[in-house]
Amino acid sequence: MIRVNALIVTFKRKELLAKVIEGVISQSYKLNKIIIIDNNSNDGTQELVSSIQAVSEIKIDYFNTGANLGGAGGFCYGFEKAMQEKFDYLWIMDDDLLPSVDCLEVMLANANESKITQPIRYNLDGSCAEYSPTKFDLSSPFIMRPKKETVLDKMSMPNIKAEEEIAIDGIPFEGPLIPYQIIEKVGLPNKNFFIFYDDLDYAIRTKKAGFEIVCNTKAVAKRLLVNNQSTDLRSWKGYFMLRNFFHIHRVHGQNTIVRIRPLLIALLYISKELLFFRKDTALVCWHALLDAFSKDFNLRRKYIP
């Protein structure tokens, strides 16, 4: 019997969390255990989980982190808890991903200990939401946008329905099935990302370690919220989007020019913001650049909500 533990990270979304827990409990392939990591919610999340624990046939462990650690910190915390006992696969997701009833069973059919398997995500309106990159290029100094192609792009190509698994360079922490062996070799997610790009960093580290990552186009999950990041740069999230994007280049860039390319990107961005008299966002970018290139990958507390 393959032992699969599910890991769900949540923060102040108990209504959505209830649906996600029900979704993983109802899987056609029965889970070994469910681990809930709560980033210190104050909306009754713990009481909700307790009520489900009381009636669930599957063991549910609940942990409160004691602070808002962000998605990255929550998953790092959860991986540490999960690795305290042996299992075959860890199935991870946040609190707004609802897997279809056979999602886990379909992924397990082609899974092995040397690859991560990502389900394909759809929006509630039926549109494809799988933006995982099939190619993330950090080798060329002339490419400003390293995400060159996504699963969604692939799905738009002729005859793609015959391709059950698509090789990808990155994963979201929304549904991937990760073997115990890979976590042992690759380690924990980097909690300092807080949000954004922690999953890409983990994927790049996984591929560097010699493992494969695929998206299974037959294993379906639905996103319960619309993922729209078009305005995030001007919110508190902008700091993390810029800082973490710069850090990915500095750490994983395949040559010196790519590794220092964030300097040019930041210069252009800051210049544009100052041109339109947006001093606050220019300062955010400056802080993001400094922290991305800091020795310890600094995290400025002022930007944590």
Side-chain angles (χ1 to χ4, degrees), residues 221-286:
K222 289 185 179 180
R223 300 196 85 258
L224 298 177
L225 294 175
V226 175
N227 187 18
N228 182 6
Q229 298 179 357
S230 60
T231 61
D232 283 350
L233 272 175
R234 304 208 179 281
S235 72
W236 62 268
K237 298 177 183 178
Y239 165 78
F240 294 101
M241 294 179 73
L242 292 168
R243 164 185 172 268
N244 298 350
F245 182 70
F246 295 160
H247 182 78
I248 287 288
H249 280 73
R250 183 177 76 82
V251 173
H252 297 299
Q254 296 177 28
N255 56 67
T256 301
I257 298 178
V258 172
R259 289 191 289 270
I260 66 172
R261 185 166 57 197
L263 299 175
L264 173 60
I265 297 173
L267 176 62
L268 294 173
Y269 184 87
I270 291 172
S271 298
K272 177 176 70 72
E273 295 303 289
L274 291 177
L275 182 64
F276 288 96
F277 303 102
R278 293 192 288 251
K279 294 181 181 179
D280 289 345
T281 48
L283 182 61
V284 168
C285 185
W286 175 243

Side-chain angles (χ1 to χ4, degrees), residues 197-217:
Y197 294 106
D198 52 313
D199 39 20
L200 176 63
D201 172 72
Y202 201 83
I204 294 173
R205 288 158 53 196
T206 295
K207 299 201 76 170
K208 283 182 177 179
F211 298 105
E212 183 184 5
I213 309 176
V214 300
C215 177
N216 189 316
T217 62

Side-chain angles (χ1 to χ4, degrees), residues 37-50:
I37 304 298
D38 181 3
N39 264 326
N40 204 29
S41 303
N42 58 6
D43 64 345
T45 291
Q46 183 171 359
E47 291 75 13
L48 167 71
V49 175
S50 295

Side-chain angles (χ1 to χ4, degrees), residues 144-198:
M144 297 299 285
R145 298 183 58 143
K147 183 188 280 193
K148 298 180 66 175
E149 182 187 70
T150 68
V151 172
L152 176 59
D153 297 328
K154 272 271 194 180
M155 294 295 289
S156 303
M157 298 178 183
N159 304 318
I160 195 61
K161 291 183 178 179
E163 191 173 347
E164 184 172 347
E165 290 189 337
I166 298 173
I168 55 179
D169 279 352
I171 52 169
F173 281 164
E174 295 184 357
L177 187 66
I178 308 178
Y180 183 93
Q181 174 184 321
I182 290 183
I183 301 174
E184 263 195 325
K185 183 71 177 291
V186 177
L188 307 175
N190 187 335
K191 64 183 179 182
N192 277 3
F193 277 89
F194 192 77
I195 58 169
F196 299 122
Y197 294 106
D198 52 313

